[in-house]
Structure formats: structure tokens, C-alpha cells
């Protein structure tokens, strides 16, 4: 222990310097990522509204797919790997993330939603956040070892600002690249960037109140029952179902993607065929409730009993959309899958419907992304702390039951989830 | 990826087995630790009430100290190391924790509080939880590699049940033994044990409603202001102050302890002299507000402006009590220090007094115990999610500013908090 005042002072000089440095850097990251998220949210709201008013556009989904396919095939280069490129750069830094990733993923996602694919938005926000943050390296002459912190902060900023959940965003950035381990070296950058990006996105909403879509969805703050043995056992059972759903989602997406890869050699044609399949399926279903982000159905699932098969349809449509190289993200569809599966489980389990919907909302995502702590925090941020016990338990059990699978194939197994799989430690999910 | 159904099934058989096994084990741990915490809470309430009615007893603090000193010197053996023994056993398993740790620390803590020392309760709960959990190893023929999970689950159970914060307790067990890293191998055991222990303690409160002290303190759910640049910067400044206070607390306790060790060769005499010092100081102060747990002052600090020096007095009295080998814990005094320091900072910073008190409550503890995520969750569980942004930011900055110091000298630096200190990675705090 050091009691000597001079050492103490010099030590704190560098701490204060580190804090001020990251206050500045995180403000910059927040300005960039938060503004990008705000623009993206507005564009998404526009595309969704337009599609709902002109449902015939879904027949043009193959054409939209061709556009996205050509764009990515001829312009993207490394950017085609999307989220996984960012995770790979966090693990093994190679080269600055290409700035063209931002317009490509933004345009690709808006087109996907405009033409009626089933997709999300966090992938887009995370890619924009990470890429924009990475651009600060050169002009600011940052040190190479700071790049990892910068990328994690960018991921946190994108996630936090797109969902309006700063704490979950901060922990998501720390939690997502390794399964089963969390390292704290980037804890300050990721918290600061998440908070400032969320602030900037909200600021745009206040500054431009006439622009639709800039606000975040409000979910009901739920009143959970007091803990009971039966209730907690039910939460564990629900957690198992949520984990299996998360695994099914990840497997289905990888399966469809592998299938199209094998079947169609020329990449730009994959989303054309994939778009036709989705369009036919939507026509056969006779409803547009399962495409796009699906926010209205997510909100309904907290109050109305929905068809028990809703979650399966959303898995199918999202796997067919994203597996065919449409753009967006997995997380909002995972919210949909979880909320509707929780809704269906209310038929079988003695827990209130809104609580089960909220538990599923975050827990299926916890299983599919292997991020149980970020998802627990997200549950508390969105639904209030009252149901925290049930939410936390569902997220942890789901995490355990999704196995060594997930939506991010560049994740590395840092700590095996189970002794049986300890040989897989240190490997990328894509190698398993 | 494995799609082959038989592998899938056999994989899940072992997952379900793992879940059921830990449901049972955690229920047992919860029954033991939760019941121990309930009895301890009732005994503490009795001792506190008795002392408040008979304030002359504080002059007998040296005699109480002698009793505790003799008890520990002649009966404790390894149990004397307290919390640090449990952390050491998690890092490097040697031998089953001695069961006598439970009555020793329980009696030692109740005596400390009865005679008017300034101390806490989490150390006692954690030691009881960890020790009771460890006793399950032999009768249940558990495997050696399960012992670490058992100990972490016991720590989580003790912490969760004593404060009524299951999520914070679960993450505390995972977070406390390594600085800067969190491993998920014990995530299911620690969540299950924390939830079941908390449930059991609450059950005792409902079952025996006439017994005073079985309920947890209720703190106000706070309404935080909407985020503003000035507010967030203030939270960062407050976080620095909280971290320095946490460091000062840890240093002062270690300093007093080292001083008594050097000065008095015969250990049972240390708390005699230490008790006399505390008694004289309390007499000089003319108030009993700064001894014991201090829960009334903590509650006041959310609503009334308190003297700005309150936090310093509590650090001094607690260091003099615990440094002289009285028993209890550090966390409730840290809540006191944080809440009163936050209260004082309301004079200087443009944030509401209840918010600053709540931020300090958890953030000083985050700095002193190096557990920022558990403390953020605790803030959400106790004060609601509305102030989460401010609470999280304060905890993270405080964690960073407490340096490689802390109240648990058996913690190992898993990841340096700052590049400057990277040579300290892998070392115990006591070696630094």
C-alpha cells in the first residue's frame, strides 16, 4: 500500500487524465453514434409507415434484395461481415473499419424494412457506432492499444442509443465479444459512450419533435407478484424455453444462410430468391404482422393473448430474411420472439402475462447473444426493478440453455458454459 | 454446429441435470444462509435497540472487545481471517471452512453492535453463507471442482439475504474475488442461491411478524432528473469523490489494523484498547449517531441536510472498530459514508439530494469492494430504475478512482484498472 503523498498524486494525475480523455472521446463517439442512431430511427419509422400504407411493395422484396445484394457484393469488401467484423477486430486488430460500412448498412437496413423483410436494428446501430468510433483513431493520433476500448465504446454507444437503454448498452459492449467472461478494462469508455450516445439520440428527439420515430417505444412498467416457490420454478422453466428459442433462432439463421450459400453461387442473387420466398410466405399468411420490426405485436403481447405459434413464425421469417443476406439486426426480432413466446407460456405457467412477456423479451435475446447481464439490466431499465428477480433468473437460465451457439459467430468461448464443453474454450462460435 | 438430434438430446440431458442439481443445492444453501441471516438480523435489531436504551453500555466496549479477542484467539484458528479466508479458498482450495466460523462471527458481531462498535453486517452474512454452503461438500459427496461454485453461491446467498437484494447478491458473489474480471461459470448457482436465500429470509419475516428486525430497510424510490450534460458531469465528479472515500475507508481500516498489530503483541488486548479509544471518542462526540449500523442516519441522509463531516467521522469510527479486530462487516458503514458524503455533495453539485445520497450509498461501496456491477444492480433494486444512469456512472467512476485498494485483501487483481498499474495483475491486494 502506498501512503506516500507524491506517489498518490502522480497516480491520480494519470487517473484524472484518463477520465478527462475518455469524457472527451466518449462525447465525440456519442455525438457520432447518437446522431447516426437518431437518423436511422427516423428513416426506419418512415420506411415502416410507408410499407404499412402500401402493402403491395412486399412483392418488390426480391428487387430490393437484388439492390442490397449488388451493393454489398461490389462495394462492401470486408464490410460484408457486419457485426462479426467488429468482434474480430476487437479480438485481433487488423485494419480500420471501412467507413463505407455506415451508409451500406444504413441503406441496406432501410431497404430491408421498406420492402417488408423481417429484421431488426441493433446490428445496424452497432456497426455504425463501432465504425464511426474507429474513424477517430487516425485524426486524433490515438494509441493502438486504445483501439479496443474505442471499438467497445462504439458498440455500447450504438446499442444504448438505438434502444434507449444506456446501462444495458454499456454492459452489452463489455459482454458481447467473449462468452462466459467479462473484462473491465473498457468499463469507463463503454459507460461514458453509452450514456452520451443515448443522450444525443434523445436530444434529437426533443430538438426535432415533429420528426416521427425519434422517440423510443414505451413498455409498461410491470408489477411482479411477490416471490413464491412456484413462481420462481416457473421462471426457471420459462428460462429453459427462452434459451431453446434463442438457440433455435441462431441455428435457423445460420442454417438458411448456409443453404443459400450452397444453392446460389452468385451472392447478389441470394436475397432475390430469399425475398421471393419471404414475399410468398407473407402472402400465404395473409398478414404483415410478422415482418419488419414488429413493434406493434411486441407491445400487444404485454396485454392480449396472442396465437401460440407467433414466436415460431417470427423465427422462420427472420431466418429467411437475414439468412438471405438482407440487412438489419437480430435483436428486435428476438424481442418479438421472446415476448410472444412468453405470451404463449402464460397459458401454461402460473405467472402474469405481462411479466412472462417481459421476461421473454430480454431472455431470448440473452440466450441468443450470450449476454445475460446486459439483458437483465435492460429488463430493469425497460420494465422497472419490480420484476427484476424473475427477469434475472430467466436470463441466466436462458443463457445456460442456449448452448455454445449464438447470433454472433465471431464470439469466442472465454469460459465454457458447462464442463461437458470445456474443450471448446478459446474457440470462435463459427468453428464449433 | 450440431443439428444431430441425439447429440442435442444428450447435451441437454446434462444441462437439465445441472439445473436440477443446482436447484436442489441452492435451495439447501438458501435455507441455511437465509435462516442464518434472519436470525442474525433479529439478533442485530435486538442488540441495537438494547444499546440505544442503555447508552452507558458503550463504556463496556473494552470488556466486549476482550471477550471477542479471547474467543477469536483461542477458538478461531483459520476462521480469524474471516471474509479473506473464503476468498482465499475460492482462489486456492485448501480445506473445508471450519463450521465454528458461524457462531464465532455471529456472536462477535452481535457483541460488537451491543457494546457500541461501528461496524456492518455483510461480512458476517457472507461468512455464514460461505461456511454453511461448504459444509454440504462431505455429506452430499460433491465433486472437488464443484466447491468453488458452492462457495460463490454461499457468498451470494449471504449477501442477498442480509440486504434483501437478490440480483446484487448474485453478481457480488461473481464479482468479488477478482478485480477487473467476471467469470460466468458460477452464474447459475449464484443466482439460484441468492434468490432462494433472499426468499427464505423474507419468509421468516412473514412467518414471525412479531420479531423485530426481520424486515429490510425501505429506502425511497427516487425520481431522477432527466439526463443533462451538467448533471452527468456532476455525477462523474461525485463518482471521483466516492472512489476516494472508498479508498480512504479501506486504507484507514488497514492502517489502524497494522498499527494495533505492531503496538500490541497479544491479540486479545487489541480490541480492549481499541474499544476504549472508540468509547472515548463517542463520549467526546456526545452522540451515538455514528456507531452501530447507523441505519437511522442513512435514512435521514435522503431527506435532511446533514453535517458535511458525518462521512469522515463514520470512516474514523469504523476503522477504529474493525481495525481493532471487532467483528461485523464494512458494507453498512460504507452505505453510511456514501449516503452522508452524497448528502454533503448536494451543497456543491446541481443534483437532487436524494439522488446524490443514493448514488453515494452504492458507489462508495463499489469503490471500496471493487464491485461496480453488483453495486449498480443494488442501486436499481433499492431505489428503482429511474436514477440508473446516475447510479451506474457514479459506481464505475468510483471503481476506477479507488485504485488497487479495497476492503478485501484476498482479492486478486485479475485485470489492472489502469495501464500504469499493469505490473500488479495477478497479485493479491495484500501484496501491493
Amino acid at each position: 500500500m502506498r501512503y506516500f503523498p507524491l506517489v498518490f498524486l502522480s497516480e491520480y494525475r494519470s487517473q484524472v487524465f484518463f477520465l478527462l480523455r475518455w469524457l472527451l472521446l466518449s462525447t465525440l463517439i456519442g455525438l457520432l453514434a447518437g446522431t447516426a442512431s437518431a437518423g436511422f430511427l427516423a428513416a426506419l419509422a418512415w420506411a415502416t409507415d410507408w410499407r404499412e400504407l402500401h402493402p403491395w411493395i412486399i412483392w418488390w422484396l426480391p428487387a430490393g434484395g437484388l439492390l442490397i445484394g449488388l451493393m454489398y457484393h461490389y462495394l462492401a469488401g470486408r464490410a460484408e461481415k457486419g457485426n462479426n467484423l467488429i468482434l474480430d477486430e476487437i479480438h485481433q486488430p487488423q485494419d480500420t473499419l471501412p467507413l463505407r460500412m455506415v451508409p451500406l448498412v444504413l441503406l441496406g437496413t432501410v431497404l430491408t424494412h421498406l420492402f417488408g423483410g423481417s429484421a431488426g436494428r441493433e446490428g445496424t446501430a452497432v456497426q455504425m457506432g463501432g465504425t464511426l468510433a474507429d474513424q477517430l483513431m487516425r485524426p486524433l493520433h490515438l494509441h493502438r492499444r486504445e483501439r479496443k476500448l474505442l471499438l467497445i465504446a462504439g458498440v455500447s454507444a450504438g446499442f444504448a442509443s438505438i434502444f434507449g437503454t444506456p446501462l444495458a448498452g454499456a454492459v452489452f459492449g463489455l459482454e458481447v465479444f467473449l462468452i462466459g467472461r467479462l473484462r473491465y478494462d473498457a468499463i469507463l469508455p463503454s459507460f461514458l459512450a453509452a450514456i452520451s450516445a443515448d443522450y444525443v439520440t434523445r436530444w434529437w428527439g426533443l430538438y426535432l419533435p415533429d420528426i416521427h420515430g425519434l422517440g423510443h417505444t414505451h413498455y409498461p412498467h410491470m408489477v411482479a407478484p411477490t416471490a413464491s416457490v412456484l413462481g420462481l420454478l416457473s421462471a426457471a422453466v420459462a428460462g429453459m424455453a427462452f434459451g431453446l428459442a434463442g438457440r433455435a433462432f441462431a441455428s435457423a439463421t445460420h442454417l438458411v444462410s448456409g443453404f443459400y450459400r450452397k444453392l446460389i453461387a452468385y451472392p447478389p442473387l441470394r436475397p432475390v430468391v430469399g425475398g421471393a420466398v419471404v414475399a410468398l410466405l407473407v402472402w400465404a399468411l395473409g398478414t404483415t404482422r410478422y415482418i419488419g420490426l414488429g413493434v406493434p405485436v411486441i407491445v400487444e403481447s404485454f396485454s392480449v393473448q396472442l396465437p401460440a405459434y407467433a414466436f415460431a413464425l417470427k423465427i422462420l421469417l427472420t431466418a429467411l430474411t437475414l439468412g438471405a443476406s438482407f440487412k438489419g439486426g437480430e435483436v428486435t426480432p428476438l424481442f418479438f420472439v421472446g415476448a410472444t413466446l412468453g405470451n404463449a407460456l402464460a397459458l401454461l405457467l402460473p405467472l402474469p402475462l405481462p411479466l412472462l412477456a417481459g421476461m421473454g423479451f430480454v431472455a431470448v435475446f440473452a440466450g441468443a447473444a450470450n449476454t445475460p447481464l446486459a439483458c437483465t439490466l435492460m429488463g430493469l431499465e425497460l420494465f422497472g426493478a419490480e420484476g427484476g428477480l424473475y427477469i434475472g433468473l430467466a436470463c441466466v437460465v436462458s443463457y445456460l440453455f442456449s448452448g455454445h451457439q449464438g447470433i454472433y459467430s465471431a464470439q469466442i468461448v472465454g469460459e465454457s458454459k458447462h464442463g461437458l464443453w470445456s474443450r471448446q474454450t478459446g474457440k470462435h462460435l463459427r468453428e464449433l
Side-chain angles (χ1 to χ4, degrees), chain A:
Chain A
M1 276 167 285
R2 303 147 165 176
Y3 301 112
F4 192 59
L6 281 180
V7 178
F8 188 85
L9 276 183
S10 84
E11 183 186 307
Y12 273 96
R13 202 177 50 200
S14 82
Q15 288 291 86
V16 172
F17 180 74
F18 181 74
L19 177 64
L20 289 178
R21 187 177 177 84
W22 279 100
L23 267 177
L24 280 176
L25 286 174
S26 302
T27 306
L28 278 176
I29 296 173
L31 279 172
L32 295 170
T35 302
S37 287
F40 175 47
L41 281 172
L44 261 187
W46 170 82
T48 304
D49 291 349
W50 205 93
R51 186 193 67 227
E52 287 299 311
L53 286 175
H54 309 87
W56 49 264
I57 193 156
I58 194 156
W59 291 114
W60 291 87
L61 189 56
L66 183 66
L67 206 58
I68 297 170
L70 291 171
M71 229 164 61
Y72 266 80
H73 189 61
Y74 292 105
L75 302 174
R78 295 198 308 149
E80 205 253 315
K81 284 167 68 188
N83 284 346
N84 289 318
L85 178 63
I86 298 184
L87 298 192
D88 281 335
E89 286 290 329
I90 291 174
H91 291 305
Q92 275 204 316
Q94 307 272 345
D95 199 6
T96 311
L97 294 169
L99 186 55
R100 62 177 176 279
M101 206 155 165
V102 175
L104 278 172
V105 75
L106 182 62
L107 195 59
T109 307
V110 173
L111 287 175
T112 298
H113 282 277
L114 179 68
F115 288 99
S118 170
R121 48 192 172 179
E122 112 294 343
T124 315
V126 161
Q127 287 173 46
M128 293 196 299
T131 308
L132 290 170
D134 205 17
Q135 308 308 312
L136 298 175
M137 284 294 292
R138 253 171 255 178
L140 300 181
H141 302 290
L142 301 182
H143 196 278
R144 255 188 313 162
R145 64 158 187 264
E146 290 177 306
R147 181 155 178 251
K148 189 180 153 190
L149 307 193
L150 206 64
L151 288 174
I152 294 176
V155 169
S156 293
F159 191 96
S161 55
I162 204 70
F163 295 123
T165 53
L167 296 180
V171 174
F172 180 81
L174 298 172
E175 205 175 23
V176 70
F177 55 98
L178 278 177
I179 294 183
R181 277 201 185 179
L182 198 150
R183 293 169 59 173
Y184 287 49
D185 44 356
I187 195 168
L188 183 77
S190 66
F191 268 78
L192 291 177
I195 289 171
S196 83
D198 175 53
Y199 181 79
V200 169
T201 304
R202 288 177 195 271
W203 182 87
W204 280 111
L206 295 173
Y207 185 70
L208 299 171
D210 297 337
I211 295 204
H212 176 51
L214 273 177
H216 299 291
T217 311
H218 285 282
Y219 298 99
H221 267 228
M222 53 179 74
V223 181
T226 48
S228 70
V229 173
L230 190 65
L232 292 169
L233 285 179
S234 304
V237 171
M240 291 169 58
F242 295 142
L244 292 175
R247 183 186 180 130
F249 183 100
S251 298
T253 308
H254 295 313
L255 206 62
V256 170
S257 157
F259 179 76
Y260 278 127
R261 244 172 249 267
K262 220 187 290 176
L263 203 74
I264 305 170
Y266 184 60
L269 279 185
R270 290 172 200 156
V272 178
V273 177
V277 172
V278 171
L280 281 169
L281 200 59
V282 173
W283 171 75
L285 289 170
T287 171
T288 58
R289 282 167 67 80
Y290 301 100
I291 56 173
L293 291 169
V295 172
V297 180
I298 299 179
V299 173
E300 269 177 43
S301 69
F302 284 85
S303 52
V304 190
Q305 192 72 55
L306 298 175
Y309 54 80
F311 82 94
L313 273 181
K314 187 68 181 176
I315 293 182
L316 183 68
L317 276 165
T318 311
L320 288 172
T321 301
L322 295 179
S325 317
F326 282 94
K327 298 299 157 186
E330 292 88 354
V331 176
T332 311
L334 285 166
F335 292 163
F336 186 119
V337 171
T340 51
L341 177 55
N343 185 288
L345 287 173
L347 295 168
L348 305 172
L349 295 174
L351 285 174
L353 185 135
L355 179 63
L356 275 165
M359 285 159 61
F361 186 103
V362 289
V364 170
F365 166 37
N370 297 306
T371 54
L373 294 184
C375 293
T376 300
L377 278 169
M378 180 172 233
L380 298 181
E381 287 186 291
L382 290 181
F383 313 123
E386 288 71 22
L389 207 60
Y390 290 95
I391 288 170
L393 186 57
C395 285
V396 167
V397 174
S398 169
Y399 162 77
L400 206 75
F401 273 78
S402 70
H404 286 179
Q405 289 244 4
I407 51 177
Y408 306 120
S409 61
Q411 262 181 345
I412 289 183
V413 181
E415 188 96 31
S416 163
K417 286 189 190 178
H418 191 281
L420 199 69
W421 308 327
S422 53
R423 275 170 307 145
Q424 304 185 344
T425 306
K427 294 201 174 144
H428 289 88
L429 285 191
R430 60 174 165 254
E431 299 170 85
L432 302 179

